[in-house]
Amino acid sequence: MNVILMGPPGAGKGTQAEFIKAEYSVPHISTGDMFRDAVKNGTPMGKEAQKYMSEGKLVPDQVTIGIVEDRLAQDDCQLGFLLDGFPRTIIQAEALDGVMDKLGKKIDAAINISVPDSILIERMSGRVSCKECGKVYHLIFTPPAQSGKCDKCSGELIQRSDDNAETAANRLQVYIDQTSPLLDYYENKGLLKNVDGNRDSKSVGADIESILNGL
Ligand code: ADP
Ligand code: ADP
Ligand code: ZN
């Protein structure tokens, strides 16, 4: 199963990916997580990516395509993968097609989680995650049992610096301008599957599960 999870920032891609990777034992490849790790580790790529992330802009295609290409060539991707947050531009989608051809594989589905803009802002503004294990919470919708502390590992909960109101709004605009054209791209290939993301995450997950089981 080679699947792409699409959707605007805050749509619930990461939340759904957690359940899919557990259920279907496929690696979850999130370019956002990869960039955040690189920033945390202070690598040259992280320093470069940070300049764009902090403004809510996309990291240049060349950099992004390179890390995904390397990742998809690894052993754990041979039986399938779940891409989250990639591709985000037509150039990335075309590059992905090229990588898949080279590997003798194909994309099985592009699942698009749609959520109205006003709800996306609410989701991003309340998102916090554990500094230690990365588990994602929402201060209103899925709060931790103890304020500021991770239920799983007691790690400190922090807000992503790009989830502030101004940067979140920029990211939404970038999604509309640069990423939403991908919906037509995958629709034209017969791969697009739309899911209504404006429901509780279990209902959204059930729809995704039925799509994946039908592949
Ligand atoms: P994305 O990876 O698409 O940016 P996340 O999965 O990180 O989105 O979700 C954004 C925020 O919204 C998080 O705080 C998450 O806990 C919350 N969230 C995710 N799915 C839902 C849902 N179906 N209903 C309410 N809140 C949700
Ligand atoms: P969200 O889904 O909540 O917008 P992500 O974690 O997917 O967040 O992405 C965070 C940031 O990382 C983006 O705003 C962008 O700067 C960078 N990024 C992630 N994926 C890509 C990509 N495919 N192309 C370019 N930049 C990316
Ligand atoms: Zn934790």
Side-chain angles (χ1 to χ4, degrees):
M1 146 185 145
N2 303 326
V3 171
I4 302 171
L5 257 192
M6 293 176 47
K13 302 180 296 296
T15 301
Q16 296 301 328
E18 282 304 311
F19 124 79
I20 299 167
K21 82 172 177 199
E23 191 92 345
Y24 297 87
S25 308
V26 284
H28 168 207
I29 302 174
S30 157
T31 41
D33 286 348
M34 288 161 92
F35 286 137
R36 277 184 291 278
D37 279 347
V39 169
K40 198 164 131 188
N41 295 328
T43 69
M45 192 265 280
K47 287 187 179 133
E48 173 73 9
Q50 173 68 15
K51 293 191 258 172
Y52 300 92
M53 295 169 82
S54 62
E55 293 181 25
K57 294 183 179 156
L58 295 183
V59 178
D61 285 332
Q62 240 181 315
V63 177
T64 310
I65 291 164
I67 63 167
V68 173
E69 185 165 10
D70 290 349
R71 184 68 188 86
L72 290 178
Q74 286 172 20
D75 282 347
D76 64 335
C77 294
Q78 298 323 307
L79 293 180
F81 55 77
L82 177 66
L83 279 172
D84 161 5
F86 182 94
R88 261 176 151 100
T89 63
I90 296 281
I91 289 176
Q92 291 180 14
E94 289 171 348
L96 176 62
D97 286 342
V99 171
M100 297 303 280
D101 280 348
K102 224 161 56 184
L103 295 169
K105 295 182 189 179
K106 61 179 187 55
I107 297 294
D108 298 309
I111 300 175
N112 176 49
I113 307 178
S114 56
V115 174
D117 289 359
S118 56
I119 308 271
L120 293 171
I121 295 287
E122 202 179 12
R123 290 216 185 149
M124 285 188 269
S125 65
R127 168 163 53 191
V128 291
S129 61
C130 175
K131 203 174 164 182
E132 307 304 325
C133 74
K135 186 174 163 56
V136 174
Y137 298 82
H138 191 282
L139 294 175
I140 297 163
F141 308 133
T142 50
Q146 220 187 322
S147 164
K149 260 193 178 183
C150 178
D151 294 346
K152 244 169 67 180
C153 77
S154 297
E156 182 196 348
L157 300 186
I158 51 170
Q159 189 187 34
R160 262 169 59 175
S161 56
D162 61 347
D163 274 341
N164 69 74
E166 190 191 343
T167 313
N170 287 345
R171 284 157 59 211
L172 262 182
Q173 194 57 48
V174 164
Y175 171 82
I176 293 165
D177 296 341
Q178 301 190 56
T179 307
S180 65
L182 288 182
L183 299 178
D184 277 346
Y185 183 89
Y186 286 110
E187 174 74 26
N188 290 338
K189 289 178 181 285
L191 295 175
L192 188 70
K193 312 278 181 195
N194 282 302
V195 171
D196 176 4
N198 191 16
R199 295 171 299 156
D200 66 280
S201 53
K202 280 226 163 64
S203 307
V204 179
D207 277 12
I208 294 178
E209 192 170 358
S210 73
I211 291 168
L212 295 176
N213 291 342
L215 292 180

